[in-house]
Amino acid sequence: MNDDLLSRHRAVLPDWLALYYEHPIEITHGEGRHVWDSDGNRYLDFFGGILTTMTAHALPEVTKAVTEQAGRIIHSSTLYLNRPMVDLAERIAKLSGIPDARVFFTTSGTEANDTALLLATAHRRSNTVLAMRNSYHGRSFSAVGVTGNRGWSPTSLSPLQTLYVHGGVRTRGPFAGLDDYDFVAACVDDLKDLLGHSRPPAALIAEPIQGVGGFTSPPDGLYAAFREVLHERGVLWISDEVQTGWGRTGEHFWGWQAHARSGPPDMLTFAKGIGNGMSIGGVVARAEIMNCLDSNSISTFGGTQITMAAGLANLAYLLEHDLQGNARRVGGLLIERLRAAAAHVPAVREVRGRGLMIGIELTRPGTDEADPAAASAVLEAAREGGLLIGKGGGHDTSALRIAPPLSLNVAEAEEGAAILEDALRSIQ
C-alpha cells in the first residue's frame, strides 16, 4: 500500500519535498507520545511532526475544543470580530514579556518571520537585515533570504540585503576554542566590525537555539550582549521562537529568556507547538512597531476560529500541567542518559540541547568531518526499533534532532534512549 502511495506522491508532488526513510511511512493515527503507521507498526514519537505536536497526540482537551468550535463556525477571516482570536492574543501578549504588546496571527512560522521582517524593514526604513550563520527561518522568499544554512537556501536572490553574524554555533568556527566569556566578546567584536561596514540594519533575526541547524546554541547572554550594541543604533531584535517557545527548553518559557539581561526582544515570532498540530503562527511586537504599516492588511486564515480554539485549549493544558517543568525534569534525565550512551560511540561528536530539545552531532570518528550517511543510518535504525526522530545540522545534515511532546514521562524517555543507544551502536 505504501509503495502505491509513494508512487502517487512522486507523480504529483515536487521532487524537493523531502521524505524521511528509504521506505517512507504513512502515519495514520496517534495517542499520547505514540503514533501508528499504515502497516500497524507502533512508534514512540520523539519528533512530534517537527516539534509541532507539543503536548500529546489526540489530546482530549484539544480534540474537544476543535470539535465544539467546528460545530459553531470554522472561519470568518480577520474582517470580523473574532472572540477566540482576541482571547488567545491576550494570553500570548501577557506571556511574551514584551511591553504594550500587539499580536498578529499567521498560519505558519515562515509567514510569521516574513511578517516580522516586513514590520522591521518598514519601521526602520531599511532592507538590510542581520542574521546568524547556520540559521533557518522558513521557506518564503524573504525567509530564505535570511537563512544562513545552505542546505535550506535554494536561491541567493532576495528582497533583503542580509549580513551574517557569528555566534549561533558554540563548538565550531574560529571562536570555538575560547571560553564562554571570550566567545561572547569575540562575537560582539565581530558584530561591531560588521556594523561599521554596512548601512544601518533594520533588525537582527535569531533563533535562541537553531532548530534546522541541529539544535545548536551560543552561550547564555550572547543575544543580550548583541542587544546592547544594536539598541545604541536603533536596530531591532527579532527572536525566532518558532521552535524554542512554549517551555520546550525547560529552563525558560521563551528561548530569549536565556539572554534576558537587556530585557525582552522588540519582536518575537511563534508557531509550531501552540496549535498542537493546527496551523498557527504569529508575531508579537511593541505597538509602535506593529502599528507602523501605513496600508491596509488582513489575514484570511491567520487567527481563524478553529485554530484559535485549539491554541487556547493547548496553551491552557500546557500551563495547568506545568509541561515546562516536565521538559526540564524529563529532558534533563534524557540528555544525561544519551550522553552516557554516546560516550561509547566514537561517531558522536557532541550531545547538546536543553529540556526536550536535544541534538546529537555525528562525525567521522576522530575528525570534525560531518557524516550525513551515519545520521541517515541511525534514523533508519531508530525507526526499525520503534522510535521516530529527526535530523538536521549546518554541516551536511549530520545531527539527530530529538524533540518529543512535552508530556513525555520518565519511562518513555528511558525506552527511547535505549532504542537510540542501540541505533547509535549499530553504525560502528
Side-chain angles (χ1 to χ4, degrees), residues 157-192:
L157 301 175
S158 175
L160 304 168
Q161 180 185 42
T162 305
L163 306 173
Y164 291 100
V165 184
H166 186 72
V169 183
R170 177 64 184 89
T171 61
R172 284 186 180 272
F175 308 144
L178 302 176
D179 63 25
D180 284 355
Y181 178 86
D182 288 336
F183 181 94
V184 170
C187 292
V188 169
D189 286 342
D190 175 66
L191 172 63
K192 289 178 179 178

PDB file of all heavy atoms in Angstrom, residues 157-192:
ATOM      1  N   LEU A 157      18.914  34.918  -4.526  1.00  0.00           N
ATOM      2  CA  LEU A 157      18.115  36.122  -4.764  1.00  0.00           C
ATOM      3  C   LEU A 157      17.299  36.452  -3.524  1.00  0.00           C
ATOM      4  O   LEU A 157      16.820  35.561  -2.827  1.00  0.00           O
ATOM      5  CB  LEU A 157      17.195  35.914  -5.958  1.00  0.00           C
ATOM      6  CG  LEU A 157      17.882  35.585  -7.290  1.00  0.00           C
ATOM      7  CD1 LEU A 157      16.845  35.294  -8.354  1.00  0.00           C
ATOM      8  CD2 LEU A 157      18.801  36.718  -7.712  1.00  0.00           C
ATOM      9  N   SER A 158      17.109  37.731  -3.248  1.00  0.00           N
ATOM     10  CA  SER A 158      16.388  38.119  -2.037  1.00  0.00           C
ATOM     11  C   SER A 158      15.974  39.579  -2.119  1.00  0.00           C
ATOM     12  O   SER A 158      16.686  40.394  -2.716  1.00  0.00           O
ATOM     13  CB  SER A 158      17.273  37.916  -0.801  1.00  0.00           C
ATOM     14  OG  SER A 158      16.633  38.403   0.363  1.00  0.00           O
ATOM     15  N   PRO A 159      14.842  39.937  -1.503  1.00  0.00           N
ATOM     16  CA  PRO A 159      14.480  41.352  -1.411  1.00  0.00           C
ATOM     17  C   PRO A 159      15.266  42.082  -0.332  1.00  0.00           C
ATOM     18  O   PRO A 159      15.126  43.290  -0.177  1.00  0.00           O
ATOM     19  CB  PRO A 159      12.987  41.293  -1.052  1.00  0.00           C
ATOM     20  CG  PRO A 159      12.854  40.009  -0.284  1.00  0.00           C
ATOM     21  CD  PRO A 159      13.812  39.050  -0.927  1.00  0.00           C
ATOM     22  N   LEU A 160      16.095  41.333   0.415  1.00  0.00           N
ATOM     23  CA  LEU A 160      16.818  41.889   1.547  1.00  0.00           C
ATOM     24  C   LEU A 160      18.322  41.812   1.314  1.00  0.00           C
ATOM     25  O   LEU A 160      18.809  40.914   0.622  1.00  0.00           O
ATOM     26  CB  LEU A 160      16.480  41.128   2.827  1.00  0.00           C
ATOM     27  CG  LEU A 160      14.991  41.044   3.185  1.00  0.00           C
ATOM     28  CD1 LEU A 160      14.765  40.027   4.291  1.00  0.00           C
ATOM     29  CD2 LEU A 160      14.468  42.421   3.606  1.00  0.00           C
ATOM     30  N   GLN A 161      19.044  42.737   1.929  1.00  0.00           N
ATOM     31  CA  GLN A 161      20.497  42.614   1.999  1.00  0.00           C
ATOM     32  C   GLN A 161      20.809  41.997   3.362  1.00  0.00           C
ATOM     33  O   GLN A 161      20.617  42.633   4.394  1.00  0.00           O
ATOM     34  CB  GLN A 161      21.190  43.970   1.869  1.00  0.00           C
ATOM     35  CG  GLN A 161      22.716  43.865   1.945  1.00  0.00           C
ATOM     36  CD  GLN A 161      23.402  45.213   1.934  1.00  0.00           C
ATOM     37  OE1 GLN A 161      22.945  46.147   2.585  1.00  0.00           O
ATOM     38  NE2 GLN A 161      24.507  45.324   1.195  1.00  0.00           N
ATOM     39  N   THR A 162      21.266  40.769   3.346  1.00  0.00           N
ATOM     40  CA  THR A 162      21.467  40.032   4.597  1.00  0.00           C
ATOM     41  C   THR A 162      22.946  39.927   4.917  1.00  0.00           C
ATOM     42  O   THR A 162      23.761  39.551   4.068  1.00  0.00           O
ATOM     43  CB  THR A 162      20.862  38.619   4.497  1.00  0.00           C
ATOM     44  OG1 THR A 162      19.491  38.722   4.126  1.00  0.00           O
ATOM     45  CG2 THR A 162      20.959  37.905   5.834  1.00  0.00           C
ATOM     46  N   LEU A 163      23.285  40.259   6.156  1.00  0.00           N
ATOM     47  CA  LEU A 163      24.648  40.157   6.666  1.00  0.00           C
ATOM     48  C   LEU A 163      24.652  39.134   7.793  1.00  0.00           C
ATOM     49  O   LEU A 163      23.824  39.220   8.710  1.00  0.00           O
ATOM     50  CB  LEU A 163      25.133  41.513   7.183  1.00  0.00           C
ATOM     51  CG  LEU A 163      25.020  42.685   6.191  1.00  0.00           C
ATOM     52  CD1 LEU A 163      25.375  44.000   6.884  1.00  0.00           C
ATOM     53  CD2 LEU A 163      25.918  42.451   4.986  1.00  0.00           C
ATOM     54  N   TYR A 164      25.558  38.172   7.729  1.00  0.00           N
ATOM     55  CA  TYR A 164      25.527  37.063   8.675  1.00  0.00           C
ATOM     56  C   TYR A 164      26.545  37.254   9.798  1.00  0.00           C
ATOM     57  O   TYR A 164      27.717  37.547   9.563  1.00  0.00           O
ATOM     58  CB  TYR A 164      25.779  35.744   7.943  1.00  0.00           C
ATOM     59  CG  TYR A 164      24.619  35.376   7.048  1.00  0.00           C
ATOM     60  CD1 TYR A 164      24.670  35.618   5.680  1.00  0.00           C
ATOM     61  CD2 TYR A 164      23.444  34.841   7.584  1.00  0.00           C
ATOM     62  CE1 TYR A 164      23.601  35.307   4.856  1.00  0.00           C
ATOM     63  CE2 TYR A 164      22.367  34.535   6.773  1.00  0.00           C
ATOM     64  CZ  TYR A 164      22.447  34.770   5.411  1.00  0.00           C
ATOM     65  OH  TYR A 164      21.384  34.467   4.611  1.00  0.00           O
ATOM     66  N   VAL A 165      26.062  37.066  11.019  1.00  0.00           N
ATOM     67  CA  VAL A 165      26.834  37.290  12.229  1.00  0.00           C
ATOM     68  C   VAL A 165      27.266  35.944  12.803  1.00  0.00           C
ATOM     69  O   VAL A 165      26.552  34.948  12.677  1.00  0.00           O
ATOM     70  CB  VAL A 165      25.995  38.072  13.270  1.00  0.00           C
ATOM     71  CG1 VAL A 165      26.811  38.407  14.501  1.00  0.00           C
ATOM     72  CG2 VAL A 165      25.438  39.346  12.639  1.00  0.00           C
ATOM     73  N   HIS A 166      28.406  35.922  13.467  1.00  0.00           N
ATOM     74  CA  HIS A 166      28.897  34.690  14.071  1.00  0.00           C
ATOM     75  C   HIS A 166      28.346  34.532  15.492  1.00  0.00           C
ATOM     76  O   HIS A 166      28.097  35.511  16.181  1.00  0.00           O
ATOM     77  CB  HIS A 166      30.429  34.691  14.123  1.00  0.00           C
ATOM     78  CG  HIS A 166      30.996  33.391  14.602  1.00  0.00           C
ATOM     79  ND1 HIS A 166      30.982  32.260  13.828  1.00  0.00           N
ATOM     80  CD2 HIS A 166      31.544  33.040  15.787  1.00  0.00           C
ATOM     81  CE1 HIS A 166      31.532  31.260  14.510  1.00  0.00           C
ATOM     82  NE2 HIS A 166      31.877  31.718  15.695  1.00  0.00           N
ATOM     83  N   GLY A 167      28.157  33.289  15.925  1.00  0.00           N
ATOM     84  CA  GLY A 167      27.818  33.052  17.324  1.00  0.00           C
ATOM     85  C   GLY A 167      26.757  32.008  17.579  1.00  0.00           C
ATOM     86  O   GLY A 167      26.583  31.571  18.710  1.00  0.00           O
ATOM     87  N   GLY A 168      26.009  31.596  16.562  1.00  0.00           N
ATOM     88  CA  GLY A 168      24.924  30.651  16.783  1.00  0.00           C
ATOM     89  C   GLY A 168      25.378  29.227  17.041  1.00  0.00           C
ATOM     90  O   GLY A 168      24.614  28.407  17.536  1.00  0.00           O
ATOM     91  N   VAL A 169      26.638  28.920  16.699  1.00  0.00           N
ATOM     92  CA  VAL A 169      27.191  27.578  16.886  1.00  0.00           C
ATOM     93  C   VAL A 169      28.384  27.685  17.832  1.00  0.00           C
ATOM     94  O   VAL A 169      29.403  28.288  17.504  1.00  0.00           O
ATOM     95  CB  VAL A 169      27.631  26.963  15.541  1.00  0.00           C
ATOM     96  CG1 VAL A 169      28.145  25.535  15.745  1.00  0.00           C
ATOM     97  CG2 VAL A 169      26.479  26.971  14.548  1.00  0.00           C
ATOM     98  N   ARG A 170      28.256  27.104  19.012  1.00  0.00           N
ATOM     99  CA  ARG A 170      29.282  27.272  20.043  1.00  0.00           C
ATOM    100  C   ARG A 170      30.559  26.487  19.756  1.00  0.00           C
ATOM    101  O   ARG A 170      31.669  26.939  20.090  1.00  0.00           O
ATOM    102  CB  ARG A 170      28.711  26.842  21.408  1.00  0.00           C
ATOM    103  CG  ARG A 170      29.704  26.908  22.575  1.00  0.00           C
ATOM    104  CD  ARG A 170      30.121  28.339  22.822  1.00  0.00           C
ATOM    105  NE  ARG A 170      31.131  28.466  23.870  1.00  0.00           N
ATOM    106  CZ  ARG A 170      32.455  28.403  23.657  1.00  0.00           C
ATOM    107  NH1 ARG A 170      32.931  28.198  22.436  1.00  0.00           N
ATOM    108  NH2 ARG A 170      33.300  28.558  24.651  1.00  0.00           N
ATOM    109  N   THR A 171      30.444  25.305  19.169  1.00  0.00           N
ATOM    110  CA  THR A 171      31.588  24.389  19.126  1.00  0.00           C
ATOM    111  C   THR A 171      32.243  24.270  17.752  1.00  0.00           C
ATOM    112  O   THR A 171      33.042  23.369  17.523  1.00  0.00           O
ATOM    113  CB  THR A 171      31.169  22.987  19.608  1.00  0.00           C
ATOM    114  OG1 THR A 171      30.139  22.473  18.739  1.00  0.00           O
ATOM    115  CG2 THR A 171      30.651  23.035  21.033  1.00  0.00           C
ATOM    116  N   ARG A 172      31.903  25.158  16.831  1.00  0.00           N
ATOM    117  CA  ARG A 172      32.558  25.187  15.526  1.00  0.00           C
ATOM    118  C   ARG A 172      32.911  26.636  15.182  1.00  0.00           C
ATOM    119  O   ARG A 172      32.355  27.571  15.749  1.00  0.00           O
ATOM    120  CB  ARG A 172      31.670  24.593  14.441  1.00  0.00           C
ATOM    121  CG  ARG A 172      31.579  23.073  14.454  1.00  0.00           C
ATOM    122  CD  ARG A 172      30.804  22.574  13.249  1.00  0.00           C
ATOM    123  NE  ARG A 172      30.687  21.131  13.194  1.00  0.00           N
ATOM    124  CZ  ARG A 172      31.563  20.317  12.626  1.00  0.00           C
ATOM    125  NH1 ARG A 172      32.654  20.821  12.062  1.00  0.00           N
ATOM    126  NH2 ARG A 172      31.382  19.014  12.606  1.00  0.00           N
ATOM    127  N   GLY A 173      33.792  26.811  14.225  1.00  0.00           N
ATOM    128  CA  GLY A 173      34.128  28.148  13.779  1.00  0.00           C
ATOM    129  C   GLY A 173      35.357  28.701  14.464  1.00  0.00           C
ATOM    130  O   GLY A 173      35.967  28.055  15.332  1.00  0.00           O
ATOM    131  N   PRO A 174      35.734  29.923  14.124  1.00  0.00           N
ATOM    132  CA  PRO A 174      37.011  30.490  14.580  1.00  0.00           C
ATOM    133  C   PRO A 174      37.092  30.762  16.076  1.00  0.00           C
ATOM    134  O   PRO A 174      38.195  30.920  16.604  1.00  0.00           O
ATOM    135  CB  PRO A 174      37.124  31.794  13.780  1.00  0.00           C
ATOM    136  CG  PRO A 174      35.718  32.141  13.417  1.00  0.00           C
ATOM    137  CD  PRO A 174      35.024  30.838  13.208  1.00  0.00           C
ATOM    138  N   PHE A 175      35.940  30.845  16.755  1.00  0.00           N
ATOM    139  CA  PHE A 175      35.961  31.166  18.186  1.00  0.00           C
ATOM    140  C   PHE A 175      35.677  29.952  19.068  1.00  0.00           C
ATOM    141  O   PHE A 175      35.520  30.090  20.285  1.00  0.00           O
ATOM    142  CB  PHE A 175      34.945  32.265  18.494  1.00  0.00           C
ATOM    143  CG  PHE A 175      35.069  33.492  17.640  1.00  0.00           C
ATOM    144  CD1 PHE A 175      33.943  34.190  17.233  1.00  0.00           C
ATOM    145  CD2 PHE A 175      36.310  33.951  17.223  1.00  0.00           C
ATOM    146  CE1 PHE A 175      34.049  35.322  16.430  1.00  0.00           C
ATOM    147  CE2 PHE A 175      36.433  35.074  16.424  1.00  0.00           C
ATOM    148  CZ  PHE A 175      35.295  35.762  16.019  1.00  0.00           C
ATOM    149  N   ALA A 176      35.590  28.775  18.482  1.00  0.00           N
ATOM    150  CA  ALA A 176      35.170  27.581  19.228  1.00  0.00           C
ATOM    151  C   ALA A 176      36.084  27.262  20.400  1.00  0.00           C
ATOM    152  O   ALA A 176      35.642  26.732  21.431  1.00  0.00           O
ATOM    153  CB  ALA A 176      35.085  26.383  18.286  1.00  0.00           C
ATOM    154  N   GLY A 177      37.364  27.574  20.275  1.00  0.00           N
ATOM    155  CA  GLY A 177      38.314  27.228  21.332  1.00  0.00           C
ATOM    156  C   GLY A 177      38.318  28.176  22.513  1.00  0.00           C
ATOM    157  O   GLY A 177      38.988  27.910  23.528  1.00  0.00           O
ATOM    158  N   LEU A 178      37.567  29.265  22.431  1.00  0.00           N
ATOM    159  CA  LEU A 178      37.528  30.236  23.526  1.00  0.00           C
ATOM    160  C   LEU A 178      36.586  29.788  24.630  1.00  0.00           C
ATOM    161  O   LEU A 178      35.663  29.003  24.397  1.00  0.00           O
ATOM    162  CB  LEU A 178      37.064  31.592  22.987  1.00  0.00           C
ATOM    163  CG  LEU A 178      37.899  32.206  21.853  1.00  0.00           C
ATOM    164  CD1 LEU A 178      37.253  33.503  21.374  1.00  0.00           C
ATOM    165  CD2 LEU A 178      39.339  32.451  22.295  1.00  0.00           C
ATOM    166  N   ASP A 179      36.794  30.303  25.845  1.00  0.00           N
ATOM    167  CA  ASP A 179      35.803  30.057  26.889  1.00  0.00           C
ATOM    168  C   ASP A 179      34.578  30.917  26.613  1.00  0.00           C
ATOM    169  O   ASP A 179      34.582  31.776  25.719  1.00  0.00           O
ATOM    170  CB  ASP A 179      36.374  30.302  28.292  1.00  0.00           C
ATOM    171  CG  ASP A 179      36.798  31.750  28.539  1.00  0.00           C
ATOM    172  OD1 ASP A 179      36.258  32.675  27.883  1.00  0.00           O
ATOM    173  OD2 ASP A 179      37.662  31.968  29.395  1.00  0.00           O
ATOM    174  N   ASP A 180      33.484  30.690  27.356  1.00  0.00           N
ATOM    175  CA  ASP A 180      32.218  31.352  27.048  1.00  0.00           C
ATOM    176  C   ASP A 180      32.339  32.874  27.072  1.00  0.00           C
ATOM    177  O   ASP A 180      31.805  33.566  26.190  1.00  0.00           O
ATOM    178  CB  ASP A 180      31.128  30.904  28.031  1.00  0.00           C
ATOM    179  CG  ASP A 180      30.600  29.513  27.726  1.00  0.00           C
ATOM    180  OD1 ASP A 180      31.017  28.927  26.699  1.00  0.00           O
ATOM    181  OD2 ASP A 180      29.776  29.002  28.515  1.00  0.00           O
ATOM    182  N   TYR A 181      33.045  33.410  28.059  1.00  0.00           N
ATOM    183  CA  TYR A 181      33.164  34.863  28.180  1.00  0.00           C
ATOM    184  C   TYR A 181      33.875  35.448  26.961  1.00  0.00           C
ATOM    185  O   TYR A 181      33.416  36.428  26.354  1.00  0.00           O
ATOM    186  CB  TYR A 181      33.928  35.216  29.466  1.00  0.00           C
ATOM    187  CG  TYR A 181      34.129  36.704  29.652  1.00  0.00           C
ATOM    188  CD1 TYR A 181      33.140  37.488  30.266  1.00  0.00           C
ATOM    189  CD2 TYR A 181      35.299  37.333  29.207  1.00  0.00           C
ATOM    190  CE1 TYR A 181      33.323  38.865  30.426  1.00  0.00           C
ATOM    191  CE2 TYR A 181      35.484  38.694  29.367  1.00  0.00           C
ATOM    192  CZ  TYR A 181      34.493  39.460  29.979  1.00  0.00           C
ATOM    193  OH  TYR A 181      34.674  40.814  30.137  1.00  0.00           O
ATOM    194  N   ASP A 182      35.002  34.832  26.607  1.00  0.00           N
ATOM    195  CA  ASP A 182      35.762  35.337  25.468  1.00  0.00           C
ATOM    196  C   ASP A 182      35.040  35.072  24.141  1.00  0.00           C
ATOM    197  O   ASP A 182      35.175  35.854  23.185  1.00  0.00           O
ATOM    198  CB  ASP A 182      37.151  34.706  25.447  1.00  0.00           C
ATOM    199  CG  ASP A 182      38.048  35.234  26.561  1.00  0.00           C
ATOM    200  OD1 ASP A 182      37.797  36.354  27.038  1.00  0.00           O
ATOM    201  OD2 ASP A 182      38.993  34.523  26.957  1.00  0.00           O
ATOM    202  N   PHE A 183      34.287  33.967  24.082  1.00  0.00           N
ATOM    203  CA  PHE A 183      33.490  33.674  22.884  1.00  0.00           C
ATOM    204  C   PHE A 183      32.482  34.793  22.646  1.00  0.00           C
ATOM    205  O   PHE A 183      32.371  35.316  21.535  1.00  0.00           O
ATOM    206  CB  PHE A 183      32.769  32.340  23.061  1.00  0.00           C
ATOM    207  CG  PHE A 183      31.926  31.918  21.891  1.00  0.00           C
ATOM    208  CD1 PHE A 183      32.438  31.082  20.904  1.00  0.00           C
ATOM    209  CD2 PHE A 183      30.605  32.333  21.765  1.00  0.00           C
ATOM    210  CE1 PHE A 183      31.667  30.685  19.818  1.00  0.00           C
ATOM    211  CE2 PHE A 183      29.811  31.944  20.693  1.00  0.00           C
ATOM    212  CZ  PHE A 183      30.348  31.115  19.713  1.00  0.00           C
ATOM    213  N   VAL A 184      31.749  35.172  23.680  1.00  0.00           N
ATOM    214  CA  VAL A 184      30.761  36.246  23.553  1.00  0.00           C
ATOM    215  C   VAL A 184      31.449  37.551  23.157  1.00  0.00           C
ATOM    216  O   VAL A 184      30.988  38.277  22.265  1.00  0.00           O
ATOM    217  CB  VAL A 184      29.963  36.416  24.857  1.00  0.00           C
ATOM    218  CG1 VAL A 184      29.102  37.680  24.818  1.00  0.00           C
ATOM    219  CG2 VAL A 184      29.081  35.193  25.102  1.00  0.00           C
ATOM    220  N   ALA A 185      32.576  37.860  23.804  1.00  0.00           N
ATOM    221  CA  ALA A 185      33.294  39.101  23.496  1.00  0.00           C
ATOM    222  C   ALA A 185      33.747  39.123  22.037  1.00  0.00           C
ATOM    223  O   ALA A 185      33.641  40.149  21.357  1.00  0.00           O
ATOM    224  CB  ALA A 185      34.489  39.251  24.431  1.00  0.00           C
ATOM    225  N   ALA A 186      34.230  37.982  21.543  1.00  0.00           N
ATOM    226  CA  ALA A 186      34.696  37.917  20.158  1.00  0.00           C
ATOM    227  C   ALA A 186      33.534  38.089  19.178  1.00  0.00           C
ATOM    228  O   ALA A 186      33.672  38.762  18.148  1.00  0.00           O
ATOM    229  CB  ALA A 186      35.409  36.589  19.910  1.00  0.00           C
ATOM    230  N   CYS A 187      32.393  37.491  19.501  1.00  0.00           N
ATOM    231  CA  CYS A 187      31.216  37.630  18.633  1.00  0.00           C
ATOM    232  C   CYS A 187      30.708  39.065  18.620  1.00  0.00           C
ATOM    233  O   CYS A 187      30.276  39.570  17.578  1.00  0.00           O
ATOM    234  CB  CYS A 187      30.116  36.668  19.082  1.00  0.00           C
ATOM    235  SG  CYS A 187      30.500  34.921  18.816  1.00  0.00           S
ATOM    236  N   VAL A 188      30.743  39.717  19.768  1.00  0.00           N
ATOM    237  CA  VAL A 188      30.332  41.128  19.836  1.00  0.00           C
ATOM    238  C   VAL A 188      31.277  41.992  19.010  1.00  0.00           C
ATOM    239  O   VAL A 188      30.839  42.896  18.277  1.00  0.00           O
ATOM    240  CB  VAL A 188      30.270  41.604  21.299  1.00  0.00           C
ATOM    241  CG1 VAL A 188      30.105  43.126  21.366  1.00  0.00           C
ATOM    242  CG2 VAL A 188      29.125  40.920  22.033  1.00  0.00           C
ATOM    243  N   ASP A 189      32.567  41.723  19.098  1.00  0.00           N
ATOM    244  CA  ASP A 189      33.531  42.471  18.282  1.00  0.00           C
ATOM    245  C   ASP A 189      33.263  42.248  16.789  1.00  0.00           C
ATOM    246  O   ASP A 189      33.360  43.183  15.980  1.00  0.00           O
ATOM    247  CB  ASP A 189      34.956  42.043  18.625  1.00  0.00           C
ATOM    248  CG  ASP A 189      35.424  42.588  19.971  1.00  0.00           C
ATOM    249  OD1 ASP A 189      34.797  43.546  20.473  1.00  0.00           O
ATOM    250  OD2 ASP A 189      36.408  42.057  20.514  1.00  0.00           O
ATOM    251  N   ASP A 190      32.928  41.000  16.430  1.00  0.00           N
ATOM    252  CA  ASP A 190      32.597  40.688  15.039  1.00  0.00           C
ATOM    253  C   ASP A 190      31.374  41.479  14.591  1.00  0.00           C
ATOM    254  O   ASP A 190      31.344  42.027  13.482  1.00  0.00           O
ATOM    255  CB  ASP A 190      32.346  39.182  14.904  1.00  0.00           C
ATOM    256  CG  ASP A 190      31.887  38.780  13.512  1.00  0.00           C
ATOM    257  OD1 ASP A 190      32.674  38.909  12.563  1.00  0.00           O
ATOM    258  OD2 ASP A 190      30.731  38.319  13.382  1.00  0.00           O
ATOM    259  N   LEU A 191      30.355  41.555  15.457  1.00  0.00           N
ATOM    260  CA  LEU A 191      29.145  42.317  15.142  1.00  0.00           C
ATOM    261  C   LEU A 191      29.471  43.798  14.956  1.00  0.00           C
ATOM    262  O   LEU A 191      29.012  44.429  13.989  1.00  0.00           O
ATOM    263  CB  LEU A 191      28.116  42.134  16.257  1.00  0.00           C
ATOM    264  CG  LEU A 191      26.867  43.008  16.169  1.00  0.00           C
ATOM    265  CD1 LEU A 191      26.066  42.692  14.914  1.00  0.00           C
ATOM    266  CD2 LEU A 191      25.992  42.826  17.416  1.00  0.00           C
ATOM    267  N   LYS A 192      30.259  44.364  15.856  1.00  0.00           N
ATOM    268  CA  LYS A 192      30.613  45.779  15.749  1.00  0.00           C
ATOM    269  C   LYS A 192      31.370  46.058  14.456  1.00  0.00           C
ATOM    270  O   LYS A 192      31.124  47.073  13.785  1.00  0.00           O
ATOM    271  CB  LYS A 192      31.454  46.196  16.955  1.00  0.00           C
ATOM    272  CG  LYS A 192      30.687  46.274  18.258  1.00  0.00           C
ATOM    273  CD  LYS A 192      31.625  46.657  19.398  1.00  0.00           C
ATOM    274  CE  LYS A 192      30.882  46.781  20.726  1.00  0.00           C
ATOM    275  NZ  LYS A 192      31.811  47.099  21.843  1.00  0.00           N
TER     276      LYS A 192
END
